[in-house]
Amino acid sequence: MSVSKGLVDDVLFEFLHAELVSYVLNSSKDGKKGDVTSLEYIGFSSGYRIIERLTKEWPRFKDELETMKFICTDFWSSIYKKQIDNLRTNHQGVYVLHENSFRFLRKISSGRQYLEAAPKFVAFTCGLIRGALANLGLDCTVTAEIQQMPACKFHIQVQKN
Amino acid sequence: MSRQGTRLDPKKVNSELFTLTYGALVSQLMKDYENVEEVNKQLERMGYNIGIRLIEDFLARTSSGRCYDFRDTAEKIQLGFRTFLGITPTISNWNPSGDEFSLIIDNNPLTEFVELPDHCLNLKYSNILTGVIRGACEMVQMEVSSWFVQDQLKGDNVTELRVKFVKRLEDAIPAGED
């Protein structure tokens, strides 16, 4: 790590994410409030690019499961300060990532009151995972399920073609 | 085959992800707005929102006291850059009355992976920084304005951010508090 190169503090990423959420939701022009598509897309582009930088020194992952493990451990803990708590799969292309305390939900009151606001805070991350996996050669759809904040489940469905 | 050899450095990953996410945001804004000026304005506004929150973090971490003149303030802003962006801009080009200075920024992490295409020459890519400074200063009762004078992205030798003191905000204290 060279001294001259600036390293951005973590907290800025959190603030930037909050601004992204608020911008995307307030700017939906055609009256579609709550449309998180472009939020997901911003996540996708970031994920697609970052994973390429992170994995360039790594040996090729030997299979799908190993790729997922990388996402759940090294990748996840670098960004979200902890590993995914549990990874489940049906071995047919469906993976469920259990996250018990998601970084972007941790600071929101955990009651049911704000539950309907929760999807905006996971859309970026859904995109991030989809982008990262896309660059590693896996076409997926990623959705999130939140029942009790700050826990969150990410469902990854790998598209077979 | 060992996987242990190249552990990821979380600080670096976060930093790069921030840079890339910011880039994705700017390109989204370029898509959303026809007018580059609007994009600059929106970036400034987002920076402002970040700045008014970031100042809390800054005060908590650095336990900074009051500024007695604008030169003090300049140093605090410089410290802010060091704390949050990991860079130390040079303070220079004071005007004679001492209410305006420049920050010369080298190695701007925001622009690490960026090249501006020709049709974006009016884009102030890092304009979020001007908003952050304005928002943060406003929360400590100081109105400043800031703008980019030179930008390495546009082929200038350095990136120069000008900061100007406008006025003290006297009325910002809520009623009933001393």
Side-chain angles (χ1 to χ4, degrees):
Chain A
M1 209 192 315
S2 71
V3 187
S4 64
K5 207 190 107 186
L7 281 181
V8 180
D9 193 88
D10 289 350
V11 69
L12 285 189
F13 181 61
E14 248 163 76
F15 283 130
L16 183 68
H17 180 264
E19 283 309 305
L20 279 178
V21 172
S22 115
Y23 165 71
V24 168
L25 292 163
N26 293 321
S27 71
S28 337
K29 286 190 186 111
D30 25 352
K32 279 196 293 176
K33 285 259 173 190
D35 182 9
V36 292
T37 315
S38 42
L39 200 51
E40 206 264 2
Y41 182 70
I42 292 174
F44 178 85
S45 351
S46 312
Y48 196 88
R49 295 188 170 103
I50 190 87
I51 199 76
E52 190 156 306
R53 298 186 55 78
L54 301 186
T55 53
K56 64 180 180 210
E57 306 287 324
W58 287 58
R60 178 181 278 272
F61 299 112
K62 73 175 192 292
D63 55 18
E64 213 174 272
L65 185 62
E66 191 149 332
T67 311
M68 291 298 169
K69 280 187 187 158
F70 170 76
I71 296 288
C72 293
T73 55
D74 296 79
F75 181 68
W76 203 264
S77 57
S78 311
I79 297 171
Y80 297 105
K81 313 280 158 219
K82 61 189 283 300
Q83 297 190 355
I84 283 283
D85 294 289
N86 196 343
L87 167 66
R88 300 252 167 107
T89 174
N90 68 353
H91 298 286
Q92 290 174 1
V94 176
Y95 297 83
V96 183
L97 281 54
H98 294 248
E99 166 62 273
N100 293 341
S101 174
F102 184 50
R103 183 176 172 193
F104 294 140
L105 295 176
R106 224 174 285 159
K107 288 172 186 160
I108 305 176
S109 159
S110 61
R112 304 199 66 80
Q113 188 183 2
Y114 297 110
L115 204 54
E116 66 184 55
K120 336 174 199 183
F121 296 98
V122 293
F124 174 86
T125 303
C126 288
L128 194 75
I129 301 173
R130 189 168 70 85
L133 290 171
N135 202 338
L136 295 175
L138 296 173
D139 252 339
C140 310
T141 48
V142 181
T143 52
E145 179 192 341
I146 305 153
Q147 283 167 347
Q148 171 75 53
M149 290 195 278
C152 176
K153 281 182 207 166
F154 293 95
H155 294 261
I156 303 175
Q157 170 122 39
V158 181
Q159 309 288 331
K160 302 278 183 224
N161 33 20
Chain B
M1 221 173 11
S2 158
R3 293 211 174 278
Q4 306 305 319
T6 46
R7 292 253 78 117
L8 303 179
D9 171 1
K11 276 200 129 15
K12 189 155 168 261
V13 176
N14 254 284
S15 176
E16 292 188 351
L17 183 62
F18 175 83
T19 305
L20 292 169
T21 307
Y22 183 70
L25 165 69
V26 176
S27 77
Q28 181 68 37
L29 291 175
M30 292 299 283
K31 262 184 256 163
D32 289 355
Y33 293 103
E34 327 242 295
N35 185 337
V36 176
E37 281 308 313
E38 279 295 312
V39 175
N40 295 337
K41 227 185 271 173
Q42 181 63 37
L43 286 173
E44 205 270 350
R45 205 172 309 147
M46 292 173 130
Y48 174 81
N49 292 339
I50 293 177
I52 58 179
R53 299 181 174 106
L54 196 62
I55 185 75
E56 292 271 349
D57 227 83
F58 174 79
L59 294 174
R61 279 197 217 186
T62 59
S63 49
S64 289
R66 275 169 199 287
C67 294
Y68 290 97
D69 58 14
F70 204 48
R71 280 175 196 272
D72 257 358
T73 312
E75 278 167 27
K76 296 275 157 73
I77 294 176
Q78 184 189 42
L79 177 61
F81 272 84
R82 190 158 70 227
T83 314
F84 295 112
L85 290 181
I87 51 170
T88 309
T90 317
I91 303 171
S92 69
N93 301 345
W94 281 97
N95 70 342
S97 51
D99 63 355
E100 208 179 307
F101 65 93
S102 292
L103 291 165
I104 310 294
I105 301 170
D106 213 9
N107 291 316
N108 181 358
L110 290 179
T111 57
E112 204 189 336
F113 313 118
V114 181
E115 254 177 55
L116 285 188
D118 289 339
H119 68 275
C120 295
L121 283 180
N122 289 325
L123 174 69
K124 294 173 185 151
Y125 185 87
S126 309
N127 216 29
I128 196 161
L129 296 180
T130 63
V132 172
I133 293 177
R134 182 169 71 90
C137 287
E138 189 176 306
M139 287 296 114
V140 285
Q141 276 83 48
M142 205 185 326
E143 186 178 329
V144 302
S145 65
S146 75
W147 62 95
F148 280 97
V149 186
Q150 304 186 69
D151 192 339
Q152 278 168 331
L153 279 183
K154 295 176 182 163
D156 297 322
N157 285 329
V158 290
T159 298
E160 178 179 356
L161 179 63
R162 196 93 181 130
V163 182
K164 181 179 168 46
F165 175 81
V166 181
K167 64 169 190 244
R168 273 178 65 182
L169 300 168
E170 302 279 1
D171 300 331
I173 303 162
E177 284 185 38
D178 293 321

